[in-house]
Amino acid sequence: MARNVAKMSDLQSDTWLQLIAISELLPAALDAQLRRDSHLTHFEFAVLSLVQLAPLGTLSPSDIAQAVNATLPRLSHVLARLEERGLVTRTVAAQDRRSVEVRLTTEGRRVVVKATPGHIETAKALVVDRFTDDELEVLGMLLRRITDRLDPSDRLGHAIRAT
């Protein structure tokens, strides 16, 4: 019995492989810069940045996990590591004793503020500065099509905008 195997055109295959390459190489490049300059992983930087940008200066672990697309066990492990380093505190929420709030310490705020310019420079050098504003607009539109397919309820976008 013959099976129909899905195939891609050369253009589709090349585009797909470029997207896969970026999805593998970009996180590693961001990690390398942040580790070198700030002794943070990109994931740790994302967590610290989210808490820093939160309107009340605190976020629940579940809100952080949703915004960074992480499981609660993974996030809990990272928060424990950040807490050991004196960058965050986890306290029982005043309004709901069953909940936990994550807050940056003074040192955590200093570390994320100091790490941000280098991270932005790296993002610009690796991606943003390679395009004109018109190209960035098109790229953003195209990437949103993929994001909309992968996250149709806009779970990540909603979590990030809510901070």
Side-chain angles (χ1 to χ4, degrees):
M1 171 161 93
R3 286 182 34 173
N4 286 337
V5 177
K7 296 184 181 187
M8 291 185 186
S9 69
D10 289 344
L11 174 63
Q12 290 170 332
S13 180
D14 181 61
T15 303
W16 174 249
L17 293 174
Q18 292 299 320
L19 184 60
I20 294 301
I22 289 168
S23 71
E24 295 294 329
L25 296 171
L26 186 58
L30 295 173
D31 256 351
Q33 178 272 317
L34 283 163
R35 283 182 189 275
R36 181 186 67 241
D37 296 348
S38 304
H39 307 289
L40 295 170
T41 65
H42 186 251
F43 186 81
E44 291 167 339
F45 177 79
V47 169
L48 294 173
S49 295
L50 281 166
V51 177
Q52 178 201 23
L53 296 172
L56 300 176
T58 65
L59 283 175
S60 71
S62 60
D63 287 341
I64 297 169
Q66 182 175 346
V68 296
N69 197 34
T71 63
L72 280 172
R74 177 184 183 207
L75 179 65
S76 181
H77 178 73
V78 169
L79 288 174
R81 210 169 47 233
L82 292 172
E83 199 168 29
E84 286 173 17
R85 292 172 55 192
L87 303 180
V88 299
T89 60
R90 290 184 282 183
T91 57
V92 174
Q95 67 276 21
D96 182 355
R97 308 289 299 164
R98 297 170 296 165
S99 298
V100 171
E101 294 177 333
V102 177
R103 179 182 306 274
L104 291 184
T105 63
T106 301
E107 178 64 7
R109 189 167 308 284
R110 186 191 69 73
V111 166
V112 76
V113 166
K114 187 176 176 191
T116 299
H119 178 66
I120 290 172
E121 284 177 26
T122 300
K124 288 181 74 173
L126 294 176
V127 179
V128 177
D129 290 346
R130 303 290 178 182
F131 300 99
T132 66
D133 286 349
D134 289 342
E135 290 170 329
L136 284 171
E137 194 170 318
V138 171
L139 181 61
M141 178 194 65
L142 296 172
L143 293 173
R144 271 189 293 284
R145 285 187 196 170
I146 298 169
T147 304
D148 289 348
R149 179 62 65 115
L150 296 171
D151 185 16
S153 64
D154 195 30
R155 182 177 53 83
L156 290 180
H158 176 75
I160 292 168
R161 284 188 299 277
T163 61

